């Protein structure tokens, strides 16, 4: 029988994953764990597929926050990175400020956003973007600056205007850097969205988890975790695919 | 000879480093005739590459003047092709697109140069690789593409900064022959070339004249005419004359290194 390559490559991790699931299931029954302390994988699975919780509504809210936060972080990060690489004055003005913003604990800022913007998707998008934008700024600026001096000489010899050197040389040169920052951002925005929901929300998977703390419905909390990781992995996978498609010459894995 | 195409007149260069001013070049004066091939040799750090950048107008000299084609150089020259030690091709562009880069940077119509780019790739044996990315090619092929790029706008002056220094010895010899062929040894309209190298045999094989430079601050130690007949071939390297010229250059470099004035 011919096993597809992909399956063979991932076989060790699949086997480990299944083994852990089985161990978990056996341990829960063997030690007669109470469900609100540690539910069995089967109980979690039942919670995932149950209609008691309107999963689609929560999935939609959290996905919107994550994707929105990602797009905002990416766009703002790239624009700020270009600004920093474009002008030394802008760099001097922006960098200390951005470092300051990045050192703020975003969890502590979240209540302020609630105060200013009220409940809803939008404040959580902002928190997610706030957590995720910084690596994009830095990598964009670095990628745009790490250009062979000789290439810039070519630009000068042919009298190319600054914007043209950016469009033809600096930005494509920076693309792999930007894409690998976006991979970091893809995981950071998930944290941001959930943090936002923990602080204040009426729906979303983070809200589901907070609610289960009061009614001790732990299987649902686990189910929400599974859904969160499904969204997170999908966003990360989409970025990785986009990276391979946009910058096939570069190895952006890792 | 009338007024040389390139004229360096008492060119000096001092730059400020962390530990104070460093004099890189001092009192450099020589001329290069139109269509002449001049090689610059000298020890590492003697400022050869800096001199090339000064001629290109990419860095201003702090002393003296440079003129090209009768005009004083005050800023980057549009009429030069540059080839560097590394091919510095754009990794995200196919070979043909890389060769066309100068037209795009200079704001010329790309379409007008496609045919010429293809001709150049054919001339350098890269026609079959026009659609490849640089990462898919050997170092020698990348350097050929870099030469094509330098030649795209048909500049009268080529500045080459150790272009074959990173290649293995055999590829390097091959590239030397190829450069002479592309330059058009028999051609009356051939380009003026200023060629920086570490390799004495390479300088002697290629050039009409070899300028030997001293260690820092770089000065002109000697200028040797190379009377080897053109077109030069593989056999040229085996002639007594080639050996004699190489030895002269070698000795000029050695003398300079042993009788260096006390610092």
């Amino acid at each position: 029988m011919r096993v597809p390559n992909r399956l063979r490559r991932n076989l060790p991790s699949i086997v480990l994953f299944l083994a852990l699931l089985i161990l978990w299931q056996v341990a829960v029954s063997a030690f007669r764990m109470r469900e609100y302390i540690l539910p069995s994988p089967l109980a979690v699975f039942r919670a995932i597929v149950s209609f008691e919780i309107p999963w689609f509504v929560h999935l939609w809210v959290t996905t919107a926050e994550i994707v929105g936060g990602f797009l905002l972080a990416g766009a703002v990060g790239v624009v700020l990175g270009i600004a920093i690489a474009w002008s030394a004055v802008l760099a001097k003005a922006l960098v200390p400020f951005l470092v300051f913003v990045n050192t703020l604990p975003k969890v502590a800022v979240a209540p302020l956003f609630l105060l200013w913007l009220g409940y809803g998707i939008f404040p959580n998008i902002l928190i997610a973007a706030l957590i995720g934008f910084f690596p994009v700024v830095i990598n964009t600026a670095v990628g745009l600056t790490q250009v062979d001096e000789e290439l810039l000489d070519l630009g000068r010899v042919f009298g190319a205007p600054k914007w043209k050197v950016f469009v033809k040389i600096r930005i494509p040169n920076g693309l792999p850097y930007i894409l690998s920052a976006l991979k970091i951002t893809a995981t950071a925005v998930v944290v941001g969205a959930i943090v936002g929901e923990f602080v204040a929300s009426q729906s979303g998977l983070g809200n589901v988890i907070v609610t289960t703390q009061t009614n001790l419905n732990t299987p649902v909390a686990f189910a929400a975790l599974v859904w969160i990781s499904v969204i997170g992995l999908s966003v990360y996978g989409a970025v990785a695919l986009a990276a391979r498609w946009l910058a096939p010459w570069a190895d952006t894995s890792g | 000879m009338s007024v040389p195409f390139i004229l360096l007149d008492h060119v000096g260069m001092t730059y400020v480093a962390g530990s104070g001013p460093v004099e890189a070049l001092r009192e450099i004066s020589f001329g290069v005739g139109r269509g002449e091939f001049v090689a610059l040799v000298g020890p590492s750090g003697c400022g050869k590459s800096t001199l090339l950048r000064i001629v290109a107008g990419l860095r201003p000299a702090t002393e003296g003047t440079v003129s090209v084609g009768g005009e004083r150089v005050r800023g980057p020259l549009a009429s030069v092709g540059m080839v560097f030690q590394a091919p510095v091709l754009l990794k995200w562009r196919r070979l043909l697109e890389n060769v066309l880069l100068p037209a795009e940077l200079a704001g010329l119509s790309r379409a007008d140069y496609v045919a010429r780019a293809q001709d150049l790739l054919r001339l350098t044996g890269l026609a079959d690789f026009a659609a490849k990315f640089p990462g898919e090619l050997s170092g020698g092929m990348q350097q050929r593409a870099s030469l094509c790029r330098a030649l795209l706008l048909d500049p009268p002056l080529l500045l080459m900064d150790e272009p074959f220094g990173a290649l293995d010895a055999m590829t390097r010899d091959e590239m030397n022959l190829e450069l002479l062929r592309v330059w058009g040894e028999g051609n009356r309209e051939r380009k003026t070339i200023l060629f920086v190298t570490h390799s004495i045999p390479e300088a002697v094989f290629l050039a009409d004249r070899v300028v030997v430079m001293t260690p820092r601050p770089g000065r002109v130690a000697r200028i040797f005419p190379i009377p080897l007949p053109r077109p030069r071939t593989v056999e040229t390297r085996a002639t007594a004359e080639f050996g004699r010229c190489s030895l002269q250059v070698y000795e000029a470099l050695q003398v300079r290194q042993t009788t260096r004035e006390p610092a």
Side-chain angles (χ1 to χ4, degrees):
Chain A
M1 190 182 74
R2 198 172 155 277
V3 186
N5 264 339
R6 219 196 163 97
L7 183 64
R8 193 181 306 171
R9 195 155 17 99
N10 294 326
L11 203 57
S13 61
I14 293 170
V15 168
L16 177 66
F17 181 70
L18 290 177
L20 284 175
L21 275 185
I22 291 166
L23 189 70
W24 177 6
Q25 181 72 45
V26 169
V28 166
S29 351
F31 296 110
R32 294 168 192 282
M33 282 284 200
R34 265 170 286 191
E35 198 164 67
Y36 69 87
I37 302 284
L38 182 67
S40 72
L42 280 176
V44 173
F45 180 75
R46 277 196 295 271
I48 291 173
V49 294
S50 100
F51 287 98
E52 263 170 67
I53 307 287
W55 287 120
F56 279 111
V57 175
H58 298 302
L59 268 172
W60 156 248
V61 167
T62 303
T63 305
E65 287 165 0
I66 288 173
V67 172
F70 176 80
L71 294 178
L72 189 60
V76 171
V78 167
V79 168
L80 286 174
I82 291 176
I84 288 171
W86 180 270
S87 131
V89 175
L90 279 177
K92 278 191 194 126
L94 283 170
V95 171
F97 179 71
L98 292 174
V99 170
F100 162 72
V101 170
N102 192 48
T103 52
L104 286 178
K106 264 61 98 183
V107 189
V109 183
L112 288 176
F113 283 20
L114 171 70
L115 182 68
W116 294 332
L117 301 163
Y119 285 97
I121 289 182
F122 188 61
N124 292 342
I125 288 180
L126 278 187
I127 294 164
L130 199 60
I131 289 190
F133 85 105
F134 195 68
V136 186
V137 180
I138 296 302
N139 269 31
T140 304
V142 168
L144 261 53
T145 340
Q146 299 276 313
V147 179
D148 286 311
E149 197 54 41
E150 288 92 343
L151 278 175
L152 301 177
D153 279 350
L154 282 184
R156 295 164 65 197
V157 163
F158 298 110
K162 195 172 176 180
W163 66 265
K164 203 178 251 184
V165 174
F166 264 76
V167 170
K168 302 241 180 238
I169 296 173
R170 287 187 189 266
I171 290 176
N173 184 74
L175 200 53
Y177 294 79
I178 297 172
L179 290 166
S180 63
L182 287 177
K183 285 187 191 172
I184 300 169
T185 300
T187 48
V189 288
V190 176
V191 178
I194 300 302
V195 162
E197 290 178 354
F198 276 6
V199 173
S201 58
Q202 289 159 324
S203 52
L205 295 165
N207 176 272
V208 170
I209 292 175
V210 173
T211 311
T212 59
Q213 285 180 329
T214 51
N215 62 19
L216 295 184
N217 195 350
T218 315
V220 169
F222 272 79
L225 276 179
V226 172
W227 282 122
I228 291 168
S229 68
V230 167
I231 306 175
L233 285 173
S234 312
V235 174
Y236 185 89
V239 177
L241 268 182
R244 217 176 303 163
W245 178 66
L246 284 169
W249 69 90
D251 180 21
T252 53
S253 61
Chain B
M1 206 192 314
S2 56
V3 180
F5 184 58
I6 305 175
L7 186 62
L8 295 115
D9 187 15
H10 296 88
V11 170
M13 175 80 188
T14 304
Y15 59 89
V16 182
S19 53
V22 176
E23 190 181 19
L25 297 167
R26 182 191 291 175
E27 294 277 316
I28 307 258
S29 294
F30 66 90
V32 179
R34 194 177 286 274
E36 194 181 14
F37 195 133
V38 170
L40 284 172
V41 293
S44 302
C46 75
K48 306 176 295 255
S49 303
T50 308
L51 189 59
L52 218 56
R53 284 192 159 68
I54 290 174
V55 172
L58 290 169
R59 296 185 76 167
T62 48
E63 303 281 331
T65 58
V66 180
S67 61
V68 172
E71 303 252 341
R72 179 145 174 212
V73 176
R74 292 173 197 279
L77 287 180
S79 55
V80 306
M82 297 200 67
V83 184
F84 310 95
Q85 178 165 9
V88 288
L89 300 171
L90 302 177
K91 297 185 281 285
W92 55 90
R93 285 178 168 229
R94 295 173 195 281
L95 224 48
L96 182 69
E97 302 301 316
N98 259 293
V99 174
L100 284 166
L101 181 72
E104 293 176 29
L105 289 177
L108 301 164
S109 153
R110 202 177 151 285
D112 293 348
Y113 288 89
V114 172
R116 173 157 172 86
Q118 281 163 340
D119 281 349
L120 285 165
L121 287 173
R122 201 172 308 124
L123 185 67
T124 49
L126 292 173
D128 294 341
F129 303 94
K132 296 268 186 207
F133 286 101
E136 300 174 287
L137 303 175
S138 71
M141 290 163 104
Q142 291 188 33
Q143 199 54 286
R144 270 180 225 166
S146 165
L147 180 61
C148 294
R149 181 179 65 189
L151 292 170
L152 182 76
L153 301 185
D154 204 15
L157 174 60
L158 268 186
L159 299 174
M160 308 182 79
D161 188 2
E162 293 183 43
F164 310 135
L167 304 178
D168 63 88
M170 268 165 67
T171 313
R172 184 177 198 157
D173 288 353
E174 219 174 277
M175 293 294 289
N176 283 344
L177 279 168
E178 191 151 319
L179 174 61
L180 290 182
R181 190 168 57 77
V182 172
W183 182 47
E185 286 198 306
N187 193 337
R188 271 173 290 111
E189 286 284 292
R190 64 195 180 195
K191 299 180 187 311
T192 310
I193 300 185
L194 200 52
F195 188 102
V196 166
T197 176
H198 270 120
S199 157
I200 297 170
E202 182 172 69
V204 170
F205 182 73
L206 294 171
D208 295 314
R209 281 189 301 152
V210 174
V211 176
V212 177
M213 290 178 65
T214 68
R216 180 177 292 165
R219 279 158 296 163
V220 175
R222 294 278 305 268
I223 299 181
F224 295 101
I226 307 296
L228 296 168
R230 294 193 186 271
R232 295 176 187 170
T233 61
V234 181
E235 288 76 31
T236 307
R237 290 181 193 275
T239 61
E241 187 66 10
F242 183 82
R244 195 186 60 78
C245 293
S246 302
L247 188 62
Q248 270 184 336
V249 174
Y250 180 75
E251 281 174 350
L253 276 166
Q254 285 304 104
V255 168
R256 280 291 148 185
Q257 268 161 3
T258 47
T259 64
R260 205 154 127 190
E261 41 193 279

